[in-house]
Amino acid sequence: MGAARPHRHARMGDTELGDAVARARGGDEAAFGTVYRELHPMLLGYLRGLIGDDADDIASETWHDVVRDLHSFRGGGQSFRGWTAAIARHRALDHVRRGRVRPRTTALDDDTAERVAARTSTRDSEGAALENLSTARALSLIAELPRDQAEAVLLRVVLGLNGPMAAEVLGKRPGAVRTASHRGLRRLSERLKDAEEK
């Protein structure tokens, strides 16, 4: 863990993202580019956590749907993150059903890893534990969690959704998602402590 840390990109605030989405809805291509650059790495990380190597294809399908339906979207930055995550999740689940592919994980790209680490560094000890992992190792540990915990961690930590928005994406109560996320992060922290003691 003594290796130099790469420069981290700060996540765009929800107000700033909401403004960019509103401009994109009005036809501003540069604003859509801003939205895409902000969300795509996180969306790709979330999809890789769900379906592994096929994430790029599903992300492309997701962005196709986002562009097609952007005119009908109403809401701010957090709502847009949730709306995009819901589209991605439905596309990923359809992909799994179509191909009967077992969900698997692969390494996140460096940009996604930097954004995840930047968000977890100010949260709690469980979140900070994730920051100290390599991306591949973190995704491997997340894949070992029960599905509800793994998906809650991916939505909350990788995509940065709040509890109510993650609950909406998953079709669950916010308390259930917060609990699953907390349990998942706690379990990851415990596994890391065990690994350090060995």
Side-chain angles (χ1 to χ4, degrees):
M1 318 282 173
R5 289 242 184 264
H7 176 69
R8 295 197 178 117
H9 303 286
R11 186 180 80 162
M12 183 182 284
D14 289 334
T15 301
E16 187 181 0
L17 178 61
D19 291 344
V21 169
R23 290 191 317 273
R25 276 188 31 238
D28 184 335
E29 291 181 20
F32 185 81
T34 299
V35 170
Y36 178 84
R37 284 187 300 277
E38 171 65 16
L39 286 184
H40 184 69
M42 293 177 273
L43 185 68
L44 198 55
Y46 171 63
L47 287 168
R48 284 188 177 147
L50 292 179
I51 57 173
D53 293 333
D54 296 330
D56 288 312
D57 293 337
I58 303 306
S60 293
E61 292 176 15
T62 299
W63 283 111
H64 173 271
D65 291 354
V66 166
V67 169
R68 182 191 67 209
D69 298 334
L70 184 60
H71 68 280
S72 65
F73 173 78
R74 299 291 180 268
Q78 185 70 205
S79 296
F80 187 77
R81 288 178 204 277
W83 181 66
T84 306
I87 294 170
R89 184 173 191 266
H90 290 296
R91 283 292 192 167
L93 293 176
D94 287 347
H95 175 75
V96 169
R97 281 190 287 269
R98 274 192 317 264
R100 302 203 188 279
V101 175
R102 182 176 169 89
R104 59 196 184 279
T105 61
T106 59
L108 299 174
D109 59 34
D110 290 340
D111 192 42
T112 303
E114 290 172 8
R115 290 171 188 250
V116 169
R119 281 196 306 282
T120 60
S121 63
T122 58
R123 289 200 179 159
D124 51 28
S125 60
E126 289 89 7
L130 278 179
E131 181 181 358
N132 294 323
L133 287 177
S134 71
T135 302
R137 180 72 177 129
L139 220 47
S140 171
L141 287 172
I142 291 170
E144 294 172 7
L145 295 173
R147 183 171 178 87
D148 66 322
Q149 292 177 14
E151 195 161 9
V153 168
L154 288 168
L155 285 170
R156 301 284 315 270
V157 176
V158 175
L159 273 171
L161 297 184
N162 62 27
M165 191 56 61
E168 189 174 317
V169 170
L170 295 173
K172 296 183 177 184
R173 291 185 327 273
V177 173
R178 279 192 300 271
T179 299
S181 177
H182 175 74
R183 287 179 179 163
L185 288 170
R186 188 177 63 220
R187 188 175 285 188
L188 290 173
S189 180
E190 289 168 0
R191 288 183 181 169
L192 289 174
K193 287 178 188 173
D194 290 344
E196 287 174 2
E197 290 173 0
K198 291 180 181 178

